[in-house]
Amino acid sequence: MIDVESLIIGLPDPRAAQRFLSSLEEQYAAAATKLKKNDGLLSDVLTLSAYSPLLAATLLQNPEYLWWLNRKRRGPAIRTKDELLEALGRFALTNSQLDLHAQLARFRRRELLRIFLSDIRRLTTMAEITEDISNLADAVLETALRRAEQDTNNRFGPPLVVDKKGRRTAAAFCIVSLGKLGSRELNYSSDIDLLFLYSAEGQTSGAGTKGAVSNREYFIRLSESILQIVGKQSGEGAAYRVDMRLRPHGRVGPLAISVDDAVRYYTGEAGDWERQVLIRSRASAGEPEVYKHFFERVEAAVFSIDVTTEVALENVRRSKQLIDLEQRSTTGFNVKLGRGGIREIEFIAQALQLAYGGKDVWLRAPHTLISLSRLADRALISEAELTELFNAYEFLRHLEHVLQMENGLQTHTVPDEVDRRDLIAKRMRCESLTTFGMELTKHAANVHRVFERVFGHGSDSPTPEGGLATADSANGSVLSSQRDPDEEPEPSSNAHNSPHGLRSGLEASLAAKDGNSEIESTREIYSDQLSNAISPESDFRHRLGAFRRRWARLLAGIKSKELEGVIDIRDAKNAQTALAEASIDIALELTRAELNGRYDSQFDALPIAVIGLGKLGGGAVDYGSDLDLVLVYDQQKEIPSGQTPAEFYGRAAELFVTSLSSMTRDGSIYRVDLRLRPYGKNGQSVISAAAFAEYMRDSADIWEWLAYVKVRAVAGDLKLARTVENSVREVIHARAAAIDVADLARETRRVRNGLEKEKSWGRRSKDIDIKYGTGGMLDVYFATRYLQLRDNVPDSSGSRSTEFMLTELERRGSMGTSDYQSFLFGYRFLAELDHNLRLAVGRTTRLPLANHTALEIVSQRMNLRSESELVEQLTIHRLNIRYAFDNILNPAL
């Protein structure tokens, strides 16, 4: 029996290994004794515990995995999907007391023991490791699909289609993987990007308990079940985090889409970056023929023979810039997004594939390493570059795996702390911290040099200490207003070294926009400028690009004038509201033109009313604001034959939202939020005026009344929109008057407190949330709207601002002078702070206490002497606001 100390002393983290062994001896003495008799297994287990506290905990929770690992560590290098499916079936039988989602999460964790051991022992190549991880995800998805399919068939019967001979046959379904899973390069902690495809439209047999439904509804229900099984949290977390944002139309698109509709999308209105995503796509579960049929029809659009090399490279370069606008931590080097990181390797491969793959089918390989090898064979990269990229890929992916498997988190950042960095260096088998730093710098420099040569664009971004620029230092700016639409980013801490950086960053962005800094603050002028920008373009996709480019110039002009002192905050918000309204006008026009072309219809104007809520409803749109919208159609108007109103107006809504919010190489304009529509996420994206009125009259809850206090007719069929606005306002105030005031107050407090709890759950940051936190802007909003409903003080056609309504409520006696002053002065302070935070660090509701550069900028813009004065005044106002809120909503306190 080998000496334990001799095994532990040479490990990267000997104390972690000793802690594991001590815990095992204490909790499972017999298992520990047995383990010590197996030298090879003991060495492997101690090595795992020194690399991954996560897996050490897994073994302590499930000591029987020790003997399973002993069998599997001598098995084949990787396991196929079929082998994993068989193993998963056996695992499910022995863990039948668990729900399926918990079984999948636990099975995945067990398999990671085997895979990561092979990884850290370097027993297999990186390509084999990532293929093994990808096969595991495929097996989990296949199992989830089979269970979901069984349950959905029991409810609706199997989905059917009618073939060319009139025979009814089974419809088919496929889970298409994108991104790293699509190229079989999945990480240990990656999200999985999916697309759900079904073969054709039709109807289910109706043999289930719920009767027949359309294939569209069936496959959407099936997709929801799959997501629930795979993504539901268990005691060991979810099996996988699933990201569906890459599907056609993003978040507003249906979860499942037919092959025909998907083909129309990707060969038509999809952006270049969306077609680029399909380079790394494949069938992960279900019927592979569905994916094969789909990709055969879109492949020519992905690898176009008409695109020039220059255009292909420019498209990918723009895609990378847009993706890298995601806010990331600025401490340490980002292995994925940093300068010379993994993403640059991936984009080198994909750019050259798009540039030359149209005429050379052999180059169309999804796997990054295979693609690079073929590019070298075609002399599109040199052999020396191929070697450098291969070596960098292996090093960076091993480093990424070491980072992620420490605690099972989706992280890509090498920490700056010496102790943590030293541990990572040891886990990477580097002789010293200095050696690790040199290796990291060398590989990143090699990658970025090839990246610059391929794309022909140098980088003049500043380089932080250690010789490595992160994605944030390369692309970030305190003025950056384009963010990942699904993340509320943490503020950047390296924005600029002085408040003057705010100005210089803007000037640089304006220079890139041809120096246009004009500002015209009327809706009509903005509409004319946007219309002139899109008029030369002949198709929907190019019109979207022209629309977004001109919009960005107009927004930059507003920022420029504000920073120059030409306009104040109120003027800036008025201008942005006008720009938002004009943008909605243009989106409706684009939608109308596209529908007329598709359905050979002759709409002069779409019979759709656009209703604004939130900041748009209140006329206070600001940098990075969402557009909270409700779309209503006139059921009396004729529509193209062969279309139901739900189908036609649903398609119109998709096109409209796409025009305003989908990300393309030219960026996105607004985040469109339709969640406040009747029935929320389960409701149709557009609703008839009659159904809307009925819902508000009979079904809307109190929280919806509070949201609809700020209802405003914004665009489209304005006659219909104003009718809807007036009707909604009358209904919610009448319903509020009919209920007990105590119930109204109780529900208002419940909703307000629920939002605060929801936004703070799981956060450990000490940053102050000025919107959702105690004494934040939501206290003012909810108290104000409660009083408006309680005392029947509706918004008027004049000013809809919060300050105006506070004054009106005080004048009418709805609130006392003390509460009024607390709200008025507090809200003014918070609104100004919110506005300047949007300018300084982008869209965030949290005051970044660790970002001293941003705090200095905000303090100076608010004429405060120091950061401490800013925090002190914020604290006082929050206390006053919360006291007034409690006084109004909790009068007994």
Side-chain angles (χ1 to χ4, degrees), residues 67-79:
W67 325 124
W68 172 87
L69 182 62
N70 188 46
R71 297 191 301 273
K72 297 305 176 185
R73 66 192 183 93
R74 295 188 295 267
I78 63 173
R79 304 182 80 179

Side-chain angles (χ1 to χ4, degrees), residues 702-703 705-707 709-710 733 741 744-753 755 771 773 775-793 795 802-803 805-810 813-816 818-824 827 880-891:
I702 294 176
W703 70 265
W705 307 350
L706 293 163
V709 165
K710 287 297 174 187
H733 281 273
V741 171
L744 179 61
R746 188 181 306 109
E747 181 66 7
T748 303
R749 289 195 306 273
R750 186 193 68 79
V751 176
R752 166 64 184 106
N753 293 337
L755 286 170
K771 179 178 180 180
M777 287 188 285
L778 286 190
D779 277 7
V780 182
Y781 294 152
F782 275 89
T784 302
R785 296 178 189 187
Y786 160 73
L787 292 176
Q788 286 186 256
L789 291 174
R790 187 194 72 181
D791 297 344
N792 192 22
V793 186
D795 273 10
T802 299
E803 287 192 27
M805 183 50 63
L806 287 171
T807 302
E808 181 67 11
L809 290 170
E810 194 267 344
S814 294
M815 71 168 69
S818 177
D819 292 339
Y820 163 69
Q821 291 179 344
S822 294
F823 274 163
L824 181 66
Y827 178 75
N880 288 337
I881 288 173
R882 177 42 66 105
Y883 183 84
F885 177 86
D886 286 338
N887 192 42
I888 293 171
L889 273 302
N890 302 281

Side-chain angles (χ1 to χ4, degrees), residues 626-695:
D626 290 352
L627 296 186
D628 294 297
L629 303 178
V630 178
L631 304 179
V632 182
Y633 67 84
D634 186 347
Q635 64 273 18
Q636 304 298 325
K637 298 289 185 179
E638 292 186 6
I639 59 173
S641 59
Q643 297 285 310
T644 67
E647 292 171 338
F648 177 76
Y649 288 112
R651 185 61 180 144
E654 288 179 0
L655 288 169
F656 171 74
V657 173
T658 294
S659 301
L660 281 175
S661 66
S662 68
M663 183 73 74
T664 72
R665 68 178 191 179
D666 300 299
S668 62
I669 297 181
Y670 296 102
R671 299 174 184 84
V672 176
D673 194 337
L674 301 178
R675 288 176 296 176
L676 292 176
R677 66 187 184 271
Y679 306 105
K681 65 181 182 180
N682 297 319
Q684 295 179 340
S685 54
V686 59
I687 189 171
S688 71
F692 187 31
E694 179 182 358
Y695 177 84

Side-chain angles (χ1 to χ4, degrees), residues 842-853:
R843 172 191 161 104
T844 179
T845 66
R846 302 164 72 81
L847 185 69
L849 296 178
N851 189 342
H852 299 293
T853 302

